[in-house]
Amino acid sequence: MSQQWSYTQFLLTLCEYESTQRYQLRVQRALKEAQLPLKSLSNFDFQRCPTLHQPTVISLAQDTGWLKRGENLLSFGPSGVGKTHLAAAIARSLIELGAKVKFTTATALVQLLQQAKAQFQLQALLLRLDRYDLLVVDDIGYVKKSESETSVLFELISHRYERKSLLITSNHPFSNWDEIFSDSTMTVAAVDRLVHHAVILEIQAESFRKQAAVQQSSSRGFKRST
């Protein structure tokens, strides 16, 4: 039996469809621009990270308030425990809520900043990066301890301080950040700015990649023995 719609029902349905289409297109464009790894919270194994407070993570992913306040999120843990996965998943959720996000490795970002500085365009680049509510800087621990690299990174941190949010992952705790910045004064100043308005996540777990490799090796060994 065909259903007869009133003009009001038809227009309402049409508007809802148009709104949904626009939302999906906006999210697709934002995700493409963000260049996020394809990760989500739905497939992050919180059970393997007993020190990680799941409600805090969910709250950060579902509320853009901390971005509007220019607060930071700092994620620490050894290699392979899911820091990048978690950062990308939180960023993806925030994009779906309307935030503008950019994901980059620390080494790639530093190279970009250095190039801009050499061309006397560093301030212009920092201002262009302001268009992003959240800048995800992955693996800051791989930045080399040289004045040319760490000085531009410090300028980025100082520029966004209390204005725009940073999400930084690191396999080095703050106590080892002298291995990143070229002098202790810069280290203290950078850490002070980052933690002033920040949530800190610490992930203590065995490397997921190591566990997967062991399981894969065990599986192959079992198959050969049978």
Side-chain angles (χ1 to χ4, degrees), residues 142-165:
Y142 290 105
V143 173
K144 296 178 181 178
K145 186 178 180 179
S146 67
E147 195 278 333
S148 62
E149 289 197 3
T150 56
S151 64
V152 292
L153 183 60
F154 178 76
E155 288 193 56
L156 172 73
I157 293 170
S158 297
H159 177 81
R160 292 182 73 90
Y161 174 58
E162 293 189 321
R163 298 175 58 254
K164 296 288 182 176
S165 298

Side-chain angles (χ1 to χ4, degrees), residues 36-46 57 75 80-92 103 138 167 169 203 208-209:
L36 291 174
L38 297 175
K39 303 293 183 181
S40 68
L41 288 178
S42 62
N43 57 13
F44 184 85
D45 192 351
F46 284 94
V57 174
S75 179
V81 297
K83 299 185 301 297
T84 301
H85 183 149
L86 202 62
I90 291 173
R92 183 184 183 91
F103 179 97
D138 195 35
L167 195 170
T169 72
I203 307 176
F208 293 163
R209 290 190 287 268

Side-chain angles (χ1 to χ4, degrees), residues 34-84:
Q35 296 182 314
L36 291 174
L38 297 175
K39 303 293 183 181
S40 68
L41 288 178
S42 62
N43 57 13
F44 184 85
D45 192 351
F46 284 94
Q47 292 185 348
R48 291 189 176 184
C49 305
T51 63
L52 186 61
H53 192 233
Q54 185 175 354
T56 297
V57 174
I58 301 300
S59 176
L60 290 165
Q62 295 181 348
D63 179 14
T64 60
W66 61 283
L67 301 183
K68 296 174 183 176
R69 296 188 295 271
E71 298 173 357
N72 300 321
L73 175 57
L74 312 173
S75 179
F76 296 94
S79 178
V81 297
K83 299 185 301 297
T84 301

Side-chain angles (χ1 to χ4, degrees), residues 22-38:
R22 289 186 178 186
Y23 169 78
Q24 291 175 346
L25 288 174
R26 182 197 65 76
V27 170
Q28 289 173 6
R29 287 195 298 267
L31 288 172
K32 183 177 180 180
E33 183 179 6
Q35 296 182 314
L36 291 174
L38 297 175

Side-chain angles (χ1 to χ4, degrees), residues 190-209:
V191 171
D192 182 63
R193 285 164 172 76
L194 288 173
V195 303
H196 185 202
H197 307 289
V199 173
I200 298 176
L201 301 178
E202 294 189 19
I203 307 176
Q204 297 298 330
E206 187 177 352
S207 170
F208 293 163
R209 290 190 287 268

